[in-house]
Amino acid sequence: MKKYIILTFLIVLGVLAGCGKKEETSKEDAYVRNLINVGFSQLGAESDWRVANTESMKNSLSLDNDFNLLFDDAQQKQDKQIMAIRKFIQQEVDCIVLAPVTETGWDTVLKEAKDAKIPVIITDRMVDVEDDSLYTAWVGSDFLKEGKIACEWLKRYAEVEGLEPSELHIVDIQGTLGATSQIGRTNALSEAAKENGWDLLDAVPADYAQTKAKEVMQQLLKKHSNINVVYCENDNEAIGAIEAIEEAGKTVGNDINNGDILVISFDAAHSGLSNVLEGKIALDVECNPLQGDEVAWIIKDVNAGKTVEKYTYVEESVFSTYDKIKAVIADKEAYDVTILTQEILDGRKY
Ligand code: GZL
């Protein structure tokens, strides 16, 4: 069957080459080289983060890096991801990469991959399975820690601004319910609110989508007249929420004491950081989407029969233009707050 994949691939390549398209690698090279066939089930294209993540994976799992990548976009539907994994198994790929939309519901299909002796690498969010030998490795972020960093910053902001904890009236615009990133960021806020005595008014999911977040924010503004902090679980939600807040005649910024609504966000994508630089997002905790190289190295090591690290966390930063807080602590680890400038923004990769 593997020959089928390579043969099909070469026919496609030959057709493309026949269209006069200059291939980075010639048909003969591809045939001669023993490519690693990888099936990648990506959960969707719902956010700037996801688009950057897909680009990173495609750039790393490329023909020039000795990969033949079979890519599937599941449009945020778990059943489409399960179908894609089953198709990769039928095609006898060498490795499966899964970016799971939510944590549960993967045991059966990952068992099928294991029975077919196909290693599975999980990226970004986590899977919640009975037997963690169903996946070989995971590459992603510590979402609870991201949330703790944001909440530690908010606690220090209130102290610097002379605000009583009970004067923070917060709404949480959540990500996709059941996604590891949503679970971690939501739990960090609800724990901090309880610990610090903050007024956590509401938590409503918006699937990391800008349009949905705008609608959610419009409803929250109608329901609560005293909101002064909006905790958005990604940048696209923050941008949607800001649109709703400004259309309601309110202001976003770093100055709650003078009537601003403070917007906190996650991802630190270019769109989010542009809003930080404009002073519209007060804090943006990075969630690094550039996981492709790490995943490619792991696949090559697995393919070569080497043992690999089970869990790999990507590097992340914290951005603001509010320069009265220089660092925050999360789990005994200090995070320097990067005071964002245009130069730093221009130098970012996504
Ligand atoms: C986080 C990732 C989340 C991002 C959102 O690793 O799963 O999903 O924070 C994306 O932007 O949609």
Side-chain angles (χ1 to χ4, degrees), residues 242 245-246 248-253 255 258-263 280:
I242 290 166
I245 291 166
E246 292 182 333
K250 295 173 181 281
T251 59
V252 290
D255 193 351
N258 282 303
D260 281 345
I261 291 181
L262 197 83
V263 176
K280 293 192 172 187

Side-chain angles (χ1 to χ4, degrees), residues 240-313:
I242 290 166
E243 279 174 15
I245 291 166
E246 292 182 333
E247 285 175 11
K250 295 173 181 281
T251 59
V252 290
N254 295 339
D255 193 351
I256 286 181
N257 283 314
N258 282 303
D260 281 345
I261 291 181
L262 197 83
V263 176
I264 289 174
S265 185
F266 295 86
D267 285 353
H270 196 276
S271 55
L273 291 182
S274 302
N275 277 274
V276 170
L277 205 55
E278 279 182 69
K280 293 192 172 187
I281 291 178
L283 181 82
D284 205 342
V285 179
E286 183 178 23
C287 178
N288 185 348
L290 306 183
Q291 302 164 355
D293 284 348
E294 199 64 55
V295 169
W297 292 324
I298 289 172
I299 293 173
K300 287 201 171 172
D301 282 351
V302 169
N303 205 51
K306 292 180 187 167
T307 312
V308 295
E309 280 294 314
K310 186 86 174 176
Y311 302 98
T312 302
Y313 290 91

Side-chain angles (χ1 to χ4, degrees), residues 24-189:
E24 292 300 310
T25 306
S26 73
K27 181 178 159 190
E28 290 66 36
D29 291 354
Y31 183 77
V32 168
R33 282 185 315 178
N34 185 11
L35 297 173
I36 302 175
N37 294 296
V38 177
F40 175 31
S41 168
Q42 176 60 291
L43 68 89
E46 74 286 357
S47 64
D48 296 4
W49 188 98
R50 187 67 51 197
V51 169
N53 179 252
T54 294
E55 194 181 330
S56 168
M57 300 294 274
K58 286 183 174 178
N59 289 342
S60 302
L61 300 175
S62 66
L63 185 69
D64 285 348
N65 288 345
D66 297 328
F67 290 99
N68 171 34
L69 178 65
L70 309 176
F71 176 79
D72 182 87
D73 172 347
Q75 295 158 336
Q76 290 193 284
K77 300 265 184 305
Q78 180 174 38
D79 56 350
K80 288 189 174 189
Q81 291 201 277
I82 291 171
M83 273 162 50
I85 292 171
R86 287 193 167 127
K87 199 165 140 232
F88 296 147
I89 293 170
Q90 276 170 3
Q91 290 171 307
E92 291 184 3
V93 295
D94 301 301
C95 183
I96 290 171
V97 178
L98 169 64
V101 60
T102 49
E103 290 197 337
T104 55
W106 302 103
D107 297 77
T108 304
V109 75
L110 293 185
K111 179 81 173 56
E112 291 167 20
K114 183 174 182 181
D115 292 346
K117 299 193 179 0
I118 299 174
V120 175
I121 313 293
I122 307 294
T123 68
D124 180 23
R125 303 170 189 176
M126 182 51 88
V127 292
D128 177 8
V129 290
E130 285 295 310
D131 169 8
D132 71 4
S133 74
L134 291 179
Y135 60 93
T136 303
W138 169 87
V139 178
S141 304
D142 183 337
F143 304 109
L144 181 65
K145 189 176 279 190
E146 288 174 358
K148 285 182 174 179
I149 291 169
C151 292
E152 177 68 25
W153 183 91
L154 180 57
K155 182 178 173 215
R156 296 190 177 197
Y157 170 86
E159 288 162 1
V160 169
E161 294 294 315
L163 288 159
E164 287 304 314
S166 57
E167 289 181 285
L168 294 181
H169 307 292
I170 307 167
V171 291
D172 178 3
I173 302 185
Q174 297 171 294
T176 300
L177 292 183
T180 318
S181 36
Q182 176 271 315
I183 295 166
R185 292 169 189 165
T186 295
N187 288 352
L189 177 62

Side-chain angles (χ1 to χ4, degrees), residues 4-14 30 35 63 67-68:
Y4 162 74
I5 295 174
I6 293 179
L7 194 59
T8 312
F9 172 74
L10 291 175
I11 290 165
V12 170
L13 205 64
L35 297 173
L63 185 69
F67 290 99
N68 171 34

